[in-house]
Amino acid sequence: MTDKPPVPATMFDPWPRIPVDTTDTSPFDRILRLATFAADHWTLGPDGPFRQPATPATICRNQIREGLLHLLELGLIDIDTDRIDAAPGIPCQREQTPAP
């Protein structure tokens, strides 16, 4: 794992990014497939929008929730609460969105 850079000292300072290998054989790709499967399972299952109508925003949020929760429950990712608590603010948008 890459060492994490320190969080910014003040709100709105640039937030250092950690490089992520997103190639088809990377660990990221492996957990992405697991998270996508969990999201798809929710989407097509009895609690999903095909059986329980929902807005597009709610569908998106629940798909993200299912994928993230699945990875957390498997212990494949962790929440760095020390880092969250140390940050004066966390950016909500990405600086740039790489092509999938």
Side-chain angles (χ1 to χ4, degrees):
M1 169 105 197
T2 303
D3 289 330
K4 295 177 185 176
V7 297
T10 60
M11 180 109 42
F12 306 118
D13 278 353
W15 190 282
R17 302 299 171 138
I18 298 168
V20 177
D21 176 4
T22 60
T23 59
D24 289 347
T25 57
S26 68
F28 169 80
D29 186 63
R30 292 177 69 190
I31 65 170
L32 174 62
R33 282 184 273 129
L34 290 168
T36 300
F37 180 82
D40 288 349
H41 183 72
W42 172 82
T43 302
L44 301 171
D47 296 325
F50 290 101
R51 302 243 177 107
Q52 307 290 326
T55 65
T58 298
I59 293 167
C60 182
R61 288 182 189 113
N62 282 327
Q63 288 169 326
I64 293 168
R65 182 185 188 282
E66 285 300 309
L68 182 58
L69 185 59
H70 185 61
L71 297 178
L72 286 164
E73 289 173 341
L74 293 174
L76 297 175
I77 60 172
D78 297 308
I79 298 174
D80 188 341
T81 54
D82 291 337
R83 191 168 174 80
I84 292 170
D85 294 341
I90 300 173
C92 292
Q93 287 81 26
R94 302 204 48 226
E95 292 173 349
Q96 54 185 279
T97 304

